[in-house]
Amino acid sequence: MTVNQTRMRIIALAAVGGLAPALLLTACNSDKGGLRTPPPAASAAAGATTGGAATGTAGAGKAPAGGDAAKVAAGITLGPAEWGKGYTEDDPYEDPSLDYYVTDANCKGVLGKAPASLAGAMTRLVKVPAAGKADLVDHLGSTSALVFGDVADAQKDFTTSRGVVKRCPTWTSDDGSETDTDEHEVPAPALPLADEAYAQEGKVRYADDKTGAKLPYYQLTVRKGGVTLNAYLDGTEDASLADLRAQTTAAMTAMLTKLKAQGH
């Protein structure tokens, strides 16, 4: 899977090895809100696709010891303060589930079988509440980590989820609550601490948002040794993609730095 997208739902992860979705309220440019579910983090064949020009060196790195997997995942995903000013915990906030979502032949996210070496996972969801608008948010972000005992499983998770974006420019969640459109690869930023990395952009629409708004998002998926990481951020209809990219890249850099500090 990938960490999850990411849009992780708790972002439905992309090939997607992933986490279960979480419904969220988000403000649209029209000041009308809609239920938001972040896209899946990347995974073996997951739904919310992650794509982008890959960077780094495939095959490098090592897998954390099995007993450390849950601690590694929990220790590197980010809380609100690490995202920056204005961010708060979403509800739900954390998901340590090992549920692994994949994308079927119809580009729909479905629960799949996790690799045997998947030993730890964590997704944390954050939001920026809309000023003066109760229960609405201007941004929804997530970071997630999947920790495998076998580097080959992490490589497969990364590669499969990246391939989904080429196969599925439109993706639908398992319950039909979320549709991602115009998903496409974009050049990934330089991430020296990553073995492999790719990026994607697109639009997300939620069934419970009666305005039909398509909201922009940016997502990064990375592999470091036996760990796959995902960072995702979306915004209102008029959100700046440059800003989404900058914040998501900073979040991913923070996770990679924390992973390195743990000795991985």
Side-chain angles (χ1 to χ4, degrees):
M1 94 189 224
T2 265
V3 241
N4 259 238
Q5 359 267 67
T6 268
R7 315 166 257 69
M8 287 173 173
R9 288 190 201 109
I10 256 183
I11 262 182
L13 303 178
V16 89
L19 308 171
L23 293 180
L24 306 164
L25 289 173
T26 291
C28 301
N29 200 27
S30 61
D31 290 340
K32 296 180 181 179
L35 286 176
R36 304 296 306 287
T37 298
S43 164
T49 60
T50 55
T55 62
T57 304
K62 61 181 179 179
D68 296 335
K71 290 182 179 180
V72 169
I76 58 181
T77 48
L78 307 185
E82 294 170 292
W83 275 89
K85 183 178 180 181
Y87 282 90
T88 64
E89 294 182 5
D90 192 43
D91 182 18
Y93 170 53
E94 296 181 329
D95 185 353
S97 170
L98 294 181
D99 288 348
Y100 195 85
Y101 283 82
V102 300
T103 296
D104 67 14
N106 297 314
C107 294
K108 180 178 180 180
V110 298
L111 187 61
K113 182 178 180 180
S117 76
L118 178 61
M122 176 60 78
T123 292
R124 289 195 172 106
L125 288 172
V126 297
K127 63 186 178 183
V128 175
K133 304 183 182 78
D135 297 326
L136 298 181
V137 303
D138 287 338
H139 290 288
L140 176 63
S142 65
T143 52
S144 59
L146 294 181
V147 183
F148 298 88
D150 186 340
V151 172
D153 283 341
Q155 289 176 315
K156 182 177 181 180
D157 178 71
F158 176 91
T159 300
T160 304
S161 61
R162 186 176 183 221
V164 172
V165 70
K166 295 179 173 61
R167 178 169 67 88
C168 299
T170 296
W171 174 91
T172 305
S173 62
D174 56 349
D175 61 359
S177 63
E178 171 193 347
T179 300
D180 301 329
T181 60
D182 190 29
E183 296 198 324
H184 58 281
E185 296 185 9
V186 293
L191 295 166
L193 295 179
D195 293 334
E196 301 180 89
Y198 70 88
Q200 76 178 57
E201 295 174 356
K203 299 290 183 67
V204 56
R205 178 173 57 80
Y206 297 99
D208 288 328
D209 182 354
K210 303 308 179 184
T211 69
K214 294 182 178 181
L215 309 173
Y217 76 82
Y218 181 78
Q219 182 168 301
L220 279 173
T221 300
V222 158
R223 182 186 66 82
K224 177 63 177 178
V227 181
T228 54
L229 304 172
N230 183 279
Y232 164 90
L233 186 64
D234 64 26
T236 55
E237 288 181 286
D238 60 351
S240 162
L241 266 174
D243 182 54
L244 296 180
R245 293 185 197 114
Q247 291 192 62
T248 305
T249 301
M252 180 59 75
T253 299
M255 283 197 291
L256 286 166
T257 300
K258 294 170 75 173
L259 185 61
K260 180 180 179 181
Q262 291 188 11
H264 302 294

